[in-house]
Amino acid sequence: MDPVIWLYLGFGLFVIVVMALDLGLAHRGPEIITTKRALTWTVLCVLMALAFVPAVYVIYDSHWLGMGLDGAVEATNTGFDAAAQFLQGWILEYSLSVDNLFVFALIFQFFAVPKQFQHRVLTWGIIATMLMRGVMILAGGVLILRFHWLLYVAGAFLVYTAVKML
């Protein structure tokens, strides 16, 4: 088995453990999250992501588990390149997630979700989204591999929806 698969499995396990800790220990009952607590967790998460940048650098620079080699003898991705790509991707995803805050606020307001239940609703929503996204990606990948012409149907649908939105 490819050694990199262990990195993916480890990351998946890490995400599951953190979500379980968040739901099971940190937020057992309904509570209102204060601004101070939210900012503290935000700073902690930002610091953890920034602390991961040197780890990415070391992993790729030392080619741990063949990272950065892509089957080649000489490196195709240096530690600096990998760390920069991770940081750029993280900043992009983080900035894109900020607009989701406004969407969540609107949804919670529309459905009148009490403040003490918002964290739990949001967490379960994220879990459901991750599961559904995984199912849709797998199903879409299988369908496209089997029926290549579906790419054109999907493309036409995207064009149609873009025109309707415009």
Side-chain angles (χ1 to χ4, degrees):
M1 182 171 8
D2 186 11
V4 176
I5 197 75
W6 293 107
L7 290 176
Y8 285 106
L9 291 174
F11 177 73
L13 181 63
F14 173 76
V15 169
I16 290 169
V17 166
V18 169
M19 294 290 274
L21 287 173
D22 184 44
L23 273 179
L25 294 178
H27 299 96
R28 275 186 188 218
E31 64 178 303
I32 296 174
I33 307 296
T34 64
T35 302
K36 180 182 177 185
R37 187 170 177 190
L39 286 174
T40 301
W41 278 106
T42 301
V43 168
L44 178 68
C45 290
V46 167
L47 290 175
M48 285 192 317
L50 293 177
F52 190 62
V53 174
V56 170
Y57 177 87
V58 169
I59 288 168
Y60 273 82
D61 205 51
S62 62
H63 307 298
W64 185 59
L65 293 176
M67 299 300 285
L69 293 178
D70 296 330
V73 176
E74 59 186 64
T76 57
N77 205 359
T78 66
F80 180 81
D81 292 337
Q85 289 172 8
F86 170 79
L87 189 58
Q88 290 168 0
W90 178 80
I91 290 171
L92 176 67
E93 286 295 324
Y94 198 79
S95 62
L96 289 173
S97 69
V98 170
D99 70 331
N100 290 340
L101 294 173
F102 300 108
V103 174
F104 295 141
L106 289 172
I107 290 171
F108 288 157
Q109 184 179 7
F110 180 80
F111 288 109
V113 178
K115 287 191 183 288
Q116 67 266 26
F117 297 118
Q118 289 180 357
H119 181 271
R120 187 164 292 270
V121 168
L122 182 61
T123 303
W124 282 110
I126 290 169
I127 291 170
T129 301
M130 288 170 43
L131 290 173
M132 290 301 293
R133 192 173 286 176
V135 167
M136 297 304 276
I137 288 171
L138 286 173
V142 168
L143 286 171
I144 288 172
L145 280 175
R146 226 152 158 201
F147 308 106
H148 187 266
W149 54 268
L150 280 177
L151 282 174
Y152 302 109
V153 174
F157 178 72
L158 287 175
V159 170
Y160 170 76
T161 56
V163 169
K164 290 295 271 185
M165 287 177 69
L166 184 61

